[in-house]
């Protein structure tokens, strides 16, 4: 009986602490692409044949891009961007997390930016958060690596997150994203 009472007191104390001192998180974006690329997201590409596209393998959903030009052919010259919906400038302490997989890796084609609504770059997300994940020179292994939470800057204007794939006619690495989350306080 004393143990149950002690456990209840500990539980209630922890609950009080979290309610009082840990700020609530609001999920702004939580996208797993199960229903394709949402209409609130935007895709742009310099090539109509190489662009971010929704895919599904054995009921596992993701978006995919590659600049593979064909066997013994150079990579397709492409820059393709996937933009999240707008994130309000009124939100505080936002964080980004995403998971990615790669295949046939022959270089690092992915950059992540914060842009304004006109697609002007406001800030680059440091590649140290994800570049080590692009390391699979072989076939698809469906191993997705997840970034840690990446702090986003407080901005005075609404913004978007841009996932940009750039081949520079050399890199044909396949990149897949299957989860993109933005949480704010």
């Amino acid at each position: 009986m004393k143990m149950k009472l002690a456990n209840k007191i500990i539980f209630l104390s922890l609950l009080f602490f979290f309610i009082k001192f840990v700020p609530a998180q609001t999920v702004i974006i939580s996208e797993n692409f199960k229903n394709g690329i949402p209409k609130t997201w935007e895709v742009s590409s310099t090539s109509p044949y190489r662009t971010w596209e929704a895919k599904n393998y054995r009921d596992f959903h993701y978006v995919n891009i590659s600049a593979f030009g064909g066997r013994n052919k150079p990579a397709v010259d492409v820059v393709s961007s996937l933009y999240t919906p707008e994130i309000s400038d009124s939100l505080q302490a936002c964080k980004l997390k995403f998971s990615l997989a790669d295949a046939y890796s022959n270089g690092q084609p992915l950059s992540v930016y914060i842009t304004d609504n006109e697609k002007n770059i406001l800030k680059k997300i440091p590649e140290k958060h994800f570049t080590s994940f692009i390391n699979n020179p072989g076939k698809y292994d469906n191993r997705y690596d997840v970034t840690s939470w990446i702090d986003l800057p407080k901005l005075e204007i609404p913004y978007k997150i841009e996932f940009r794939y750039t081949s520079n006619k050399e890199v044909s690495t396949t990149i897949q994203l299957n989860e993109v989350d933005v949480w704010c306080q």
Side-chain angles (χ1 to χ4, degrees):
M1 188 72 151
K2 289 182 184 179
M3 188 61 134
K4 285 185 179 180
L5 180 61
N7 286 342
K8 281 185 180 180
I9 291 171
I10 291 170
F11 172 77
L12 290 172
S13 298
L14 288 172
L15 182 62
F16 173 78
F17 174 81
F18 280 105
I19 290 172
K20 183 81 173 158
F21 298 106
V22 176
Q25 297 289 307
T26 302
V27 177
I28 305 304
I29 297 170
S30 184
E31 186 55 57
N32 64 10
F33 306 104
K34 186 170 183 163
N35 297 312
I37 298 174
K39 292 182 193 296
T40 56
W41 289 59
E42 184 181 347
V43 175
S44 68
S45 185
T46 58
S47 168
Y49 306 107
R50 295 287 184 257
T51 188
W52 290 96
E53 58 185 342
K55 292 203 169 192
N56 168 358
Y57 178 73
R58 294 185 180 174
D59 208 33
F60 188 80
H61 303 272
Y62 55 93
V63 289
N64 182 85
I65 186 157
S66 172
F68 181 65
R71 183 171 230 158
N72 299 320
K73 292 184 179 178
V76 174
D77 188 20
V78 65
V79 176
S80 187
S81 296
L82 175 68
Y83 296 92
T84 67
E86 180 181 284
I87 299 167
S88 173
D89 57 326
S90 67
L91 296 168
Q92 300 290 320
C94 293
K95 298 175 184 294
L96 166 70
K97 182 191 276 190
F98 58 95
S99 65
L100 67 92
D102 70 312
Y104 308 108
S105 182
N106 68 343
Q108 206 297 70
L110 185 65
S111 298
V112 183
Y113 299 101
I114 297 171
T115 68
D116 64 16
N117 285 330
E118 284 75 43
K119 300 183 181 93
N120 298 306
I121 295 172
L122 303 173
K123 182 171 176 66
K124 183 174 184 176
I125 301 294
E127 291 181 3
K128 69 180 182 182
H129 293 291
F130 57 88
T131 197
S132 65
F133 301 159
I134 301 173
N135 58 8
N136 178 13
K139 296 182 180 182
Y140 298 102
D141 59 9
N142 289 323
R143 193 183 104 225
Y144 282 79
D145 295 299
V146 181
T147 66
S148 58
W149 284 106
I150 302 165
D151 291 328
L152 298 175
K154 171 68 178 131
L155 298 173
E156 301 297 321
I157 60 172
Y159 61 94
K160 298 179 179 194
I161 309 296
E162 175 190 6
F163 296 90
R164 183 184 297 176
Y165 182 101
T166 306
S167 71
N168 291 322
K169 295 183 185 178
E170 296 174 358
V171 178
S172 60
T173 302
T174 299
I175 297 291
Q176 299 172 341
L177 298 175
N178 84 318
E179 182 73 34
V180 176
D181 297 306
V182 174
W183 290 16
C184 302
Q185 289 182 1

